[in-house]
Amino acid sequence: MEKIYEKLERTKVFRDPLYGYVNVDYKIISDLIDSKEFQRLRRIRQLSGVSMVFQTAEHSRFTHSLGAYEMANIALQKVRGMENLNEYDKIVFLCAALLHDVGHGPYSHAFEGVLGISHEEMTIKIILSPITEINKILSIKTGLADDIASVIRHDGKHPLLESFVSSQLDVDRFDYLSRDAYFTGTAYGKIDYMRILRSMLVKNNTLYVKSTGVQAIEAYLVSRYHMYFQVYYHPVARSYESILESIYRRIVDLTKDKDIKDKNISAFLNTLKNNSDIASYIELDDAYVNGFIKQFTKSKDKILNKLANCFINRHLFACVELLEDGSNEDKVKEIKNKFNKVEQRYFFIRSDASAAIYLQSKKSDINDIKVLLPDNKTVKSIDQYSDLVKALRKLGEKTVSRIYYLDF
Amino acid sequence: MEKIYEKLERTKVFRDPLYGYVNVDYKIISDLIDSKEFQRLRRIRQLSGVSMVFQTAEHSRFTHSLGAYEMANIALQKVRGMENLNEYDKIVFLCAALLHDVGHGPYSHAFEGVLGISHEEMTIKIILSPITEINKILSIKTGLADDIASVIRHDGKHPLLESFVSSQLDVDRFDYLSRDAYFTGTAYGKIDYMRILRSMLVKNNTLYVKSTGVQAIEAYLVSRYHMYFQVYYHPVARSYESILESIYRRIVDLTKDKDIKDKNISAFLNTLKNNSDIASYIELDDAYVNGFIKQFTKSKDKILNKLANCFINRHLFACVELLEDGSNEDKVKEIKNKFNKVEQRYFFIRSDASAAIYLQSKKSDINDIKVLLPDNKTVKSIDQYSDLVKALRKLGEKTVSRIYYLDF
Amino acid sequence: MEKIYEKLERTKVFRDPLYGYVNVDYKIISDLIDSKEFQRLRRIRQLSGVSMVFQTAEHSRFTHSLGAYEMANIALQKVRGMENLNEYDKIVFLCAALLHDVGHGPYSHAFEGVLGISHEEMTIKIILSPITEINKILSIKTGLADDIASVIRHDGKHPLLESFVSSQLDVDRFDYLSRDAYFTGTAYGKIDYMRILRSMLVKNNTLYVKSTGVQAIEAYLVSRYHMYFQVYYHPVARSYESILESIYRRIVDLTKDKDIKDKNISAFLNTLKNNSDIASYIELDDAYVNGFIKQFTKSKDKILNKLANCFINRHLFACVELLEDGSNEDKVKEIKNKFNKVEQRYFFIRSDASAAIYLQSKKSDINDIKVLLPDNKTVKSIDQYSDLVKALRKLGEKTVSRIYYLDF
Amino acid sequence: MEKIYEKLERTKVFRDPLYGYVNVDYKIISDLIDSKEFQRLRRIRQLSGVSMVFQTAEHSRFTHSLGAYEMANIALQKVRGMENLNEYDKIVFLCAALLHDVGHGPYSHAFEGVLGISHEEMTIKIILSPITEINKILSIKTGLADDIASVIRHDGKHPLLESFVSSQLDVDRFDYLSRDAYFTGTAYGKIDYMRILRSMLVKNNTLYVKSTGVQAIEAYLVSRYHMYFQVYYHPVARSYESILESIYRRIVDLTKDKDIKDKNISAFLNTLKNNSDIASYIELDDAYVNGFIKQFTKSKDKILNKLANCFINRHLFACVELLEDGSNEDKVKEIKNKFNKVEQRYFFIRSDASAAIYLQSKKSDINDIKVLLPDNKTVKSIDQYSDLVKALRKLGEKTVSRIYYLDF
């Protein structure tokens, strides 16, 4: 037997409040979980600043990643047609589900915005870089790391697995909506993933849902939409992240032309300079960021000092929504003018957040939810089949534009 | 102190899986619960034929009625402005919530369809008829029974209480969606009633919701819609109820011109003849109906015999949906033609079921959900305020038309 | 392939709030569920009079029986060593779990007490009697009905299956404790069955638990004990059942020497005379009993009339506990003396209820919970291994003796 | 109105998965929550190393402290007799419940063991020290800080409040058992606190439970016991904390005679020298400790280097239990002898953990659970009243002794 297929003597389990247990059978999965890069996810909160408003949302990307893996496990058992997948593809699927978020940095959103690093790219780098433990584990079989990266990158080579890992209906979303609902204590995200999985069907390497599952999917789409606006985009969370964004921006500005050697932020600066410096990137976690910000509370740079104090002592930026009809434009201008040009860059932050109930993808139809009608032949996209989705798709994206600003 | 305001020495509690406890403080509520007419609700299932498909949905109208009462209790504590209600109105509200379903008969839907009795009317009759225990209990204060009946009848005299007892956002719906979800084991009905109640506001005797609660209401409207099509209108449940409807119809037809004295169905026949015969009506419950149908399994009337056997041995009518585009008209006609005229009346039943996400009421605006904007002045109806509701309101009612028929 | 092993084209599922879904793969299981005798369990409440005090405990023996079956299904998947069972034994196990309660009559406890029929015996009769649909379905393979009966009868021929179906740790108890907790809304019965199943191990046809599971079992034993005294033996439930017992006793007394032909209770009388009259027994359900009691409210026999009215209008017998130290003996005597000899027989009922945390079985050790120590060799009974169980076993049975009596 | 009684304009709420919402009415409570010292609890995990084995147990002392406060809130509403408390005492109670854990340091257990600081003392210091924000907030009324400290210190001056804040049945335990169960996903800690609270009764400034609540308390005592051994004392968690203990010990040893000025651990060293240096103590949190340990992974001190690497890379110490019968003494000695004297101090750690179902307190009876019998006069301690508690009390404390050691 090839080593990649080696199983643990006894299923290894992790208690999980959502699924009872996360079940690990393959040795390679167990090894990946134990790797340094994966363990680092324990130290990065799933929802960044959201715990400033939903205080129990303290769960980490580690628990979500295990959850996405288990959801993949469940999909392999419950979705009709998945039994035809060969064992290698099953392992690729499980690994991709497990590792899809491994490139997340601390407070990702703010990080990516300012530094121009996407967590997906970092995930790919961590999987492919020969210096990581993960890459070493995956080297057990030639091509494995590449295949996993390809699925996560969504490059069209493994359409079925790609749609399971990242699409409109994927194991990632199923887990995080359920999990974030559980840990925030909100009702929005409680989706009926089991019914959706049971209504799915794989045929000719394509994922369909039977029409019996359409209402469960409608409910899921609406849930997701509400989670975005009620939880993920909550002004308190976004205010907190805006301060962080300004801190990052200030550091970038201060260090642009200078060669600064601050030991406390060297890993951060290294990442800034070269985002392929994986060794440095991996050093970064929530505690690292909190740590250097704490020290900046005594910084001589007035702006950094101010921002750091706001962040640590939870003096949040105030928030004003930019009304669509422009009726509060003057008020917003007035606020803006309280700041000089330099201050505006750090203390007056515009933040737009958008979500749609259902967006048809533009490039390809890989993301579309395909409904298989009872005749077992006709296929419609869900926004053709469901009046509700059709009506809501027309709404397009809903965008909330807000200004977060330092309130004296 | 007037007797109506008398409290129990110690709060009486009923365990309830949804709220922990149902709390009863007023003696009058405790007396109403103990009344013969209210106890009868223990013997009538909340969801009639639904337990044929969701087998755990065996809960009674009794537990729902207690739940609606407790939800009213919670509303009195949590909705801002309710503290200004005087104690008399509070009691009217609690009684109306408790009693709103007391007129339901066994398998109400089928019953009402054939016999032309609405359960709301029967509720009013039971409250107002001097022969009932309920009426005697309410006679503790002149006008009380009338006020409760008026709220339930929704006649516009107590607009605030009416909207809490029966509107788009009422304690009845909050309880039954939550409860039916709990007892069927489906996820659809799990609504965030606590958040909705907390976003409500009573001002000038009118109920508003603040804009912060709008997304919770959107979620609730979608939930309700899905409960209708996934649970309440499930074809298996409706098939079962169609058989029952045919049995009722056959009895009506057989007894129309004859004076039949069948002791086993005398209460039923009395109700048929005179729906003000409350004493007979109160005899009717699920067991009563099941009982006489069981005996009809040996009836000499072939049609009644057939129907009774189908009902008791769960040989459900087959179901075919009438497609909107008329594409299966021929097939349906073919089925129909297998029956002769008389048979068609009992063995080929059309059943239409409709629900809408949000229907603006035609007569008045008492049902509309009014959103109070952050300026605390402007009021919009929810379908003006929420893009989602606006889009879904345009869909209007969704109707499913099905034929249930005896399949040889 | 033999017909007994035939599978359904697609897994048939029943929604269940405890397990998500009950999954049926074998055609024979599906057929048994559809049988007349099994469907009858829909009409018999699991907890008889308990819903008089925990009003939401309205679930039927049907849902529990499906649950015990699904628990067996889970055990087959999760208990180590069960994979070695041959397919025939698996089917025997599943059938035994499904059918173990099929012989229950309405309000079983009272029924059995007075009539001397045990529901286990009736279960066996229904499985073995050639007139039942169940027996016809099982006749698909010679010996199958006998094997299932043998497992339920616990006659030692299938020790492993017997201990899974009925012992201290069986699928029946796992389901009913969980289910009764869910439907009453109490916390006591929430047991960690998944952890217990995962700590189980089958070796040499014997069931062991590993020492890692012992604390979960301790918790389960205490839970079970509390469910008995808090729920199953609740005085209100028992009072209700005492009245019923008196009604049954009165009927027996009245009909002993006479040949009574009351159509309304003929099935009941037939069962009385001959408990092998399965056809009559199967007619009996909750509605049947409620039905004839309702008619007895107008009986000319004063005692029957009184009892029937108490039962229907929920005028419960009062309750007094017989204190162990005899300190209220006089008070009890006083109550007794209010009744004459004949009345005492019906209106003054002693009811003893006992439960133990852990009782070692006397005859054999088949019921003992065997703990396998980490050395994988040494075996101890749980009351040797666990200090907690040892201490609690010494308490023996706790018995509550109560008198239920008509309170004028 | 005195300022201490000032209420917020509108109840401030925090979503909480256990109670729905945490409700804050008093301005002083809101201010305390916003204080720097209370906010610091967000950065200290409730269960330290437990998340190494129950990975979802990532919740903070902040959420537990809010929970204990809300539980106090519920107790004020639900426990009979609490309505007689004057408003000042109610506020003292709410503050004490909120602040009872404010003195916890990061990974408290290890911390306290090595450094000889108890978190209770630190809590008192933070409340009483004039330099804290908390003290400033409490200075709104003379004597308030002292009264709160007195309740937490359990010095007998406020016996009723003390028993509610810290006894065998207190709001602290009710919240943490429920919360730790929710966040670990285990079933053990699910206690029926609502029923217990409803069975409580305050009379003559003393807390009683009515006999009807005794079985709920029995269940709670057993739950607590199982949480200790299954969760809090789990070997993996304890192994992790043992490494930390060794790190602390090494730092103490290295710095004992030297005046070390390591900026990265200055707050820690300051605390070591003077545990009244509150300003330094407050700097400490999980990230602080993780931060300096990360740097020690490159320490030149070999022992510190080794320990830090074990901690950061989760190379846990191995574990061997010291069997009571001494049967593995030799094996343990063998392990010990692999280390030299110095190594033994850091790499071979004995850890004893004890818990009892019910321990009668020695000094006073303030902790005893007092059962009020139905006659409303007689009082028994619970171990006199309940056979189960009596039997389990005899077991005394159960102690598990384990050696955690570096496994080469």
Side-chain angles (χ1 to χ4, degrees), chain D residues 198-260:
Chain D
R198 290 190 56 90
S199 76
M200 286 177 167
L201 180 70
V202 171
K203 252 174 82 172
N204 305 327
N205 218 24
T206 308
L207 177 61
Y208 301 96
V209 292
K210 304 202 75 170
S211 51
T212 50
V214 164
Q215 296 210 331
I217 292 174
E218 292 172 358
Y220 151 82
L221 292 172
V222 174
S223 280
R224 189 179 63 170
Y225 178 77
H226 284 135
M227 279 299 276
Y228 274 94
F229 288 103
Q230 293 295 308
V231 177
Y232 305 142
Y233 297 163
H234 194 287
V236 168
R238 284 304 179 112
S239 170
Y240 193 69
E241 291 167 13
S242 296
I243 299 173
L244 190 62
E245 215 174 301
S246 289
I247 293 175
Y248 287 159
R249 182 173 294 117
R250 185 61 183 167
I251 298 173
V252 172
D253 291 350
L254 286 176
T255 58
K256 208 175 342 192
D257 309 315
K258 295 178 218 162
D259 191 25
I260 286 191

Side-chain angles (χ1 to χ4, degrees), chain A residues 117-389:
Chain A
I117 303 177
S118 101
H119 73 267
E120 288 91 356
E121 291 167 46
M122 294 312 292
T123 296
I124 303 298
K125 286 185 188 194
I126 288 171
I127 291 172
L128 297 182
S129 161
I131 71 154
T132 65
E133 292 184 19
I134 285 178
N135 185 270
K136 270 169 212 129
I137 294 162
L138 297 177
S139 68
I140 204 170
K141 181 160 175 91
T142 316
L144 177 60
D146 287 319
D147 282 328
I148 295 167
S150 153
V151 169
I152 292 173
R153 201 190 286 120
H154 219 277
D155 62 11
K157 290 190 196 146
H158 305 75
L160 180 65
L161 299 186
E162 290 168 27
S163 63
F164 265 110
V165 170
S166 161
S167 66
Q168 298 266 1
L169 277 185
D170 59 39
V171 296
D172 177 21
R173 269 169 189 75
F174 285 177
D175 183 76
Y176 78 64
L177 290 173
S178 306
R179 188 166 301 275
D180 296 343
Y182 187 87
F183 284 99
T184 54
T186 57
Y188 301 106
K190 281 182 191 146
I191 57 171
D192 196 355
Y193 58 82
M194 203 52 111
R195 185 168 167 88
I196 298 178
L197 290 174
R198 290 190 57 91
S199 76
M200 286 177 166
L201 180 71
V202 171
K203 253 174 80 170
N204 306 327
N205 217 23
T206 308
L207 177 62
Y208 301 96
V209 291
K210 304 201 73 168
S211 51
T212 51
V214 165
Q215 296 209 330
I217 292 174
E218 291 172 356
Y220 152 83
L221 292 173
V222 174
S223 281
R224 188 179 65 170
Y225 178 76
H226 283 135
M227 279 299 275
Y228 273 94
F229 287 103
Q230 293 294 309
V231 176
Y232 306 141
Y233 297 163
H234 194 286
V236 169
R238 284 305 179 112
S239 169
Y240 192 70
E241 291 167 12
S242 294
I243 299 173
L244 190 62
E245 215 174 301
S246 289
I247 292 174
Y248 288 158
R249 183 173 295 118
R250 184 62 182 167
I251 297 173
V252 172
D253 291 350
L254 287 176
T255 59
K256 209 175 340 195
D257 310 315
K258 296 176 217 163
D259 192 23
I260 287 191
K261 294 239 187 301
D262 182 338
K263 244 181 61 187
N264 288 308
I265 54 167
S266 59
F268 183 74
L269 294 178
N270 291 342
T271 307
L272 267 190
K273 265 184 250 152
N274 172 12
N275 64 35
S276 291
D277 179 351
I278 298 296
S280 290
Y281 187 72
I282 285 169
E283 296 275 304
L284 308 180
D285 57 25
D286 289 359
Y288 183 94
V289 170
N290 291 335
F292 72 62
I293 295 181
K294 220 192 232 170
Q295 302 197 338
F296 288 153
T297 57
K298 293 159 193 163
S299 170
K300 281 170 198 159
D301 180 76
K302 274 192 184 169
I303 287 173
L304 200 51
N305 184 308
K306 184 80 198 163
L307 291 167
N309 274 290
C310 285
F311 187 84
I312 294 295
N313 299 322
R314 229 176 41 108
H315 294 151
L316 298 182
F317 280 5
C319 172
V320 61
E321 193 170 331
L322 293 170
L323 299 179
E324 273 176 69
D325 60 4
S327 62
N328 65 348
E329 251 178 30
D330 288 350
K331 194 185 149 197
V332 171
K333 232 175 231 163
E334 202 181 304
I335 294 169
K336 189 172 185 178
N337 290 334
K338 287 185 186 164
F339 301 96
N340 65 34
K341 267 272 139 68
V342 175
E343 288 168 346
Q344 281 173 15
R345 185 164 166 81
Y346 307 108
F347 297 145
F348 184 90
I349 309 298
R350 176 172 176 149
S351 163
D352 292 359
S354 305
I357 299 275
Y358 186 72
L359 266 187
Q360 228 167 343
S361 86
K362 284 148 219 165
K363 323 184 230 167
S364 85
D365 72 340
I366 221 171
N367 274 316
D368 283 357
I369 299 173
K370 297 175 193 66
V371 181
L372 183 65
L373 300 203
D375 65 5
N376 264 311
K377 280 181 302 191
T378 322
V379 175
K380 289 192 176 184
S381 84
I382 198 167
D383 58 333
Q384 288 175 289
Y385 182 82
S386 152
D387 289 339
L388 187 142
V389 177

Side-chain angles (χ1 to χ4, degrees), chain A residues 22-195:
Chain A
V22 172
N23 297 279
V24 177
D25 288 305
Y26 287 109
K27 187 175 173 304
I28 191 172
I29 298 292
S30 174
D31 290 345
L32 288 171
I33 292 172
D34 286 341
S35 72
K36 196 163 97 180
E37 297 85 16
F38 192 79
Q39 288 292 326
R40 164 183 163 273
L41 297 179
R42 286 181 182 270
R43 299 188 294 271
I44 298 180
R45 285 201 176 155
Q46 172 76 1
L47 293 184
S48 304
V50 168
S51 71
M52 286 296 119
V53 52
F54 293 97
Q55 79 280 350
T56 53
E58 305 176 317
H59 54 302
S60 68
R61 296 203 180 272
F62 181 80
T63 61
H64 161 58
S65 295
L66 284 182
Y69 156 81
E70 180 63 17
M71 191 62 88
N73 232 342
I74 296 172
L76 285 175
Q77 289 161 44
K78 297 292 178 191
V79 175
R80 258 180 298 180
M82 289 298 264
E83 65 276 10
N84 300 326
L85 234 58
N86 63 47
E87 195 170 6
Y88 177 76
D89 282 350
K90 283 182 187 172
I91 290 176
V92 170
F93 178 30
L94 293 172
C95 291
L98 185 74
L99 299 178
H100 77 284
D101 268 352
V102 84
H104 263 295
Y107 303 97
S108 267
H109 183 82
F111 207 49
E112 301 186 358
V114 175
L115 310 186
I117 303 177
S118 101
H119 73 267
E120 288 91 356
E121 291 167 46
M122 294 312 292
T123 296
I124 303 298
K125 286 185 188 194
I126 288 171
I127 291 172
L128 297 182
S129 161
I131 71 154
T132 65
E133 292 184 19
I134 285 178
N135 185 270
K136 270 169 212 129
I137 294 162
L138 297 177
S139 68
I140 204 170
K141 181 160 175 91
T142 316
L144 177 60
D146 287 319
D147 282 328
I148 295 167
S150 153
V151 169
I152 292 173
R153 201 190 286 120
H154 219 277
D155 62 11
K157 290 190 196 146
H158 305 75
L160 180 65
L161 299 186
E162 290 168 27
S163 63
F164 265 110
V165 170
S166 161
S167 66
Q168 298 266 1
L169 277 185
D170 59 39
V171 296
D172 177 21
R173 269 169 189 75
F174 285 177
D175 183 76
Y176 78 64
L177 290 173
S178 306
R179 188 166 301 275
D180 296 343
Y182 187 87
F183 284 99
T184 54
T186 57
Y188 301 106
K190 281 182 191 146
I191 57 171
D192 196 355
Y193 58 82
M194 203 52 111
R195 185 168 167 88

Side-chain angles (χ1 to χ4, degrees), chain A residues 10-11 13 15 21 23 80 192 194-195 198, chain C residues 10-11 13 15 21 23 80 192 194-195 198:
Chain A
R10 162 100 168 121
T11 303
V13 295
R15 269 274 186 182
Y21 291 98
N23 297 279
R80 258 180 298 180
D192 196 355
M194 203 52 111
R195 185 168 167 88
R198 290 190 57 91
Chain C
R10 161 98 168 125
T11 304
V13 295
R15 271 272 186 181
Y21 290 97
N23 296 279
R80 259 179 297 179
D192 196 355
M194 204 51 114
R195 183 166 167 88
R198 290 191 56 91

Side-chain angles (χ1 to χ4, degrees), chain B residues 362-390:
Chain B
K362 284 149 219 163
K363 319 185 232 168
S364 87
D365 72 341
I366 221 170
N367 274 317
D368 283 356
I369 298 174
K370 295 173 195 67
V371 181
L372 183 66
L373 301 203
D375 65 5
N376 263 311
K377 280 180 302 189
T378 322
V379 175
K380 289 191 175 185
S381 85
I382 199 167
D383 58 334
Q384 288 176 289
Y385 182 83
S386 152
D387 288 341
L388 187 141
V389 178
K390 194 191 295 174

Side-chain angles (χ1 to χ4, degrees), chain C residues 75 86 142 255 272 317-318 355:
Chain C
N86 63 47
T142 316
T255 59
L272 267 190
F317 278 6

Side-chain angles (χ1 to χ4, degrees), chain B residues 10 13 15 192 198, chain D residues 10 13 15 80 192 198:
Chain B
R10 163 98 168 123
V13 295
R15 271 273 186 183
D192 196 354
R198 290 190 57 89
Chain D
R10 162 99 168 122
V13 295
R15 269 274 187 183
R80 257 180 297 178
D192 195 355
R198 290 190 56 90

Side-chain angles (χ1 to χ4, degrees), chain C residues 260-274:
Chain C
I260 287 190
K261 293 238 189 305
D262 182 338
K263 243 183 60 188
N264 289 308
I265 54 168
S266 60
F268 183 76
L269 294 177
N270 291 342
T271 306
L272 267 190
K273 265 185 252 153
N274 171 14

